[in-house]
Amino acid sequence: MTERYQDALALFGIQSGFVEEQIEKVYDSLKELHKPEDFALLSPEYLMASNKQRELAGAYYCLYKPFSHYIVNQNSNLINEEQMIDEVSKLIYDYSKKGKIVNKEFITKLVEILLSFKSLNQYIRDIEFHAYDKNSICEYGNGTLTVYEQNLKDSIVAPYWFEEAEKSYYPYYQTVATIYHEVKHANHEKIAEQGKNDIYSFLWQVCNVYKQIDNESFSRIVSLPSPIFEIMNVLLEFKINQQYRKYRKYWLYCPDERVAEICGNSLALTLIEQAPNKKELKNMLTHFSELVVEILFFGYDKLLGPTDFYLSKFKQYKDCLKLSEMSKSLSVEERLLLGLYVTANELESAKKDKEKILSGVRQLC
């Protein structure tokens, strides 16, 4: 996608870079060519625009919203899933052909493509790279995707039974799965904020309800007299730490994490299935398929399923009851993806027909 922006910039005589001083020049040129409403993000006018208009609008937004050291382009040029797969595949092909390892440039380009597909530029506005963190490989929060480079490198260890060719490709696909996991968190935040009356909006809201309670608690105590505030703040920090430790302990039961993990591995699987050297990657296909299936059935040793188990740890019993009511019309595949209750017979049937269930779940990602 960066190449397309460079082509668009070239129309204004700009040879390279996202130069803030040249915004005015681009904007003036754009005003002469198109109506201002053509640049409104996701407006009907924008979606009806020609490819050239989209490129120009993309160039404008790139220049208008430059970021810090590592740039995520403010890209209003939405792409569909097929284009996304093609662009990520091309990114992997270009890097593998040149023998280049996964690096900051690869990750930044990957994020740019994924954000365009999901229209998440307002949620992930920047990427930061740090060396190490004791808890995370990468994480999303407060508009930033943070990547811990050494952790990511250490986590990408190909299974011993892979062929040599597969071991050289594995880092690209595993990085895609890991990064897309975090992009899904941003997408869940977007869905939660839209506040639609459906199970997805409700579920992504209740996943983080304890964090919202913490923020509300701080807002209430911040105006208290200093000595009382300090005592209350210490108690609040203790409570937050307790909740965070609880979240870390049960994180894979959390539906937010569960869906992100399944969808990340599913995307890697799709890319491998469509790779030109697919025949060389048959063990990798098996690996990512088994990962998705393993996570899909994880937590169903609990009485009501993993999501109810997770929410009960935070005493969100009313949310469990509401989810039970809302999930009645969902398919088995949807309930398995979200970690919601399935009957013993449904679970047994799903395990017997894993291929069918896997196919249905992947269509939901």
Side-chain angles (χ1 to χ4, degrees):
M1 297 181 71
T2 302
E3 290 82 358
R4 290 212 296 270
Y5 291 143
Q6 296 295 350
D7 291 343
L9 294 174
L11 293 173
F12 308 112
I14 299 172
Q15 298 302 314
S16 63
F18 302 93
V19 185
E20 195 167 358
E21 295 88 326
Q22 295 173 319
I23 293 173
E24 185 112 10
K25 178 181 177 183
V26 174
Y27 183 66
D28 288 343
S29 299
L30 291 171
K31 280 198 300 186
E32 293 175 9
L33 291 169
H34 307 292
K35 296 179 292 184
E37 58 263 36
D38 288 340
F39 306 113
L41 187 62
L42 300 184
S43 70
E45 292 87 358
Y46 173 71
L47 293 174
M48 293 292 288
S50 67
N51 288 336
K52 178 165 280 191
Q53 284 176 300
R54 288 189 177 199
E55 288 175 348
L56 294 170
Y60 167 68
Y61 279 110
C62 280
L63 288 162
Y64 189 69
K65 296 281 188 180
F67 288 106
S68 56
H69 194 52
Y70 302 107
I71 297 174
V72 178
N73 297 326
Q74 279 296 85
N75 159 30
S76 60
N77 189 21
L78 291 177
I79 60 177
N80 62 34
E81 185 171 10
E82 185 178 343
Q83 288 174 295
M84 180 192 76
I85 297 298
D86 287 346
E87 297 211 23
V88 177
S89 295
K90 183 178 183 300
L91 179 64
I92 292 172
Y93 176 79
D94 289 345
Y95 267 70
S96 61
K97 186 178 180 182
K98 296 173 185 175
K100 295 172 70 175
I101 63 170
V102 171
N103 55 20
K104 293 173 184 177
E105 180 189 41
F106 178 91
I107 293 170
T108 302
K109 287 182 177 179
L110 173 63
V111 172
E112 178 187 324
I113 296 167
L114 298 178
L115 294 190
S116 177
F117 170 55
K118 290 292 186 181
S119 186
L120 291 171
N121 304 96
Q122 295 176 342
Y123 290 85
I124 298 180
R125 299 183 295 275
D126 203 359
I127 305 178
E128 291 182 2
F129 293 91
H130 299 286
Y132 173 76
D133 180 84
K134 65 180 181 179
N135 291 316
S136 300
I137 296 170
C138 57
E139 58 190 13
Y140 161 72
N142 298 319
T144 299
L145 175 66
T146 305
V147 179
Y148 300 100
E149 294 180 84
Q150 190 59 48
N151 296 31
L152 180 62
K153 183 180 177 181
D154 291 344
S155 72
I156 299 176
V157 179
Y160 71 91
W161 44 274
F162 277 15
E163 301 292 341
E164 286 305 311
E166 291 177 307
K167 289 179 180 178
S168 66
Y169 278 91
Y170 179 70
Y172 305 120
Y173 293 107
Q174 184 55 54
T175 299
V176 169
T178 301
I179 297 298
Y180 193 54
H181 176 120
E182 300 306 323
V183 170
K184 287 297 288 187
H185 287 321
N187 192 49
H188 294 167
E189 183 180 328
K190 176 183 176 180
I191 292 169
E193 287 183 1
Q194 288 172 344
K196 294 180 180 177
N197 188 29
D198 61 24
I199 195 164
Y200 293 96
S201 295
F202 179 71
L203 193 52
W204 306 144
Q205 288 166 10
V206 303
C207 279
N208 294 315
V209 70
Y210 71 88
K211 296 177 185 176
Q212 296 163 11
I213 291 170
D214 294 337
N215 292 335
E216 291 169 6
S217 299
F218 183 80
S219 298
R220 286 199 300 268
I221 69 172
V222 72
S223 60
L224 294 173
S226 181
I228 300 174
F229 166 74
E230 288 171 10
I231 294 169
M232 295 294 288
N233 196 39
V234 168
L235 292 173
L236 181 58
E237 286 180 7
F238 177 75
K239 176 188 171 188
I240 292 170
N241 288 334
Q242 273 189 321
Q243 291 174 325
Y244 181 71
R245 284 195 296 271
K246 195 182 294 183
Y247 157 75
R248 293 295 305 177
K249 184 176 180 180
Y250 300 111
W251 76 275
L252 198 48
Y253 293 93
C254 174
D256 191 15
E257 298 291 348
R258 176 190 187 85
V259 170
E261 194 72 3
I262 289 171
C263 291
N265 287 305
S266 179
L267 176 57
L269 186 54
T270 300
L271 289 163
I272 297 165
E273 287 172 338
Q274 299 188 22
N277 61 337
K278 173 185 171 181
K279 290 181 180 179
E280 294 182 277
L281 308 177
K282 58 181 183 297
N283 291 320
M284 207 184 299
L285 274 172
T286 301
H287 171 70
F288 281 104
S289 294
E290 289 179 347
L291 270 178
V292 174
V293 171
E294 180 183 340
I295 300 163
L296 201 59
F297 294 123
F298 175 83
Y300 278 98
D301 55 331
K302 306 301 179 186
L303 183 61
L304 296 177
T307 293
D308 281 327
F309 174 76
Y310 176 80
L311 294 176
S312 69
K313 292 298 176 182
F314 296 94
K315 297 182 170 47
Q316 293 174 238
Y317 304 117
K318 289 183 179 179
D319 294 331
C320 292
L321 290 172
K322 185 169 181 179
L323 281 169
S324 176
E325 188 62 31
M326 295 178 80
S327 66
K328 288 179 179 178
S329 62
L330 299 184
S331 67
V332 173
E333 288 86 351
E334 284 179 294
R335 283 178 281 141
L336 283 170
L337 174 66
L338 299 175
L340 300 171
Y341 175 70
V342 295
T343 67
N345 287 339
E346 287 173 327
L347 187 61
E348 185 180 354
S349 296
K351 288 182 176 180
K352 284 181 180 177
D353 199 355
K354 292 178 184 178
E355 290 300 318
K356 176 178 176 294
I357 292 295
L358 177 62
S359 175
V361 167
R362 289 179 61 196
Q363 290 177 27
L364 298 169
C365 285

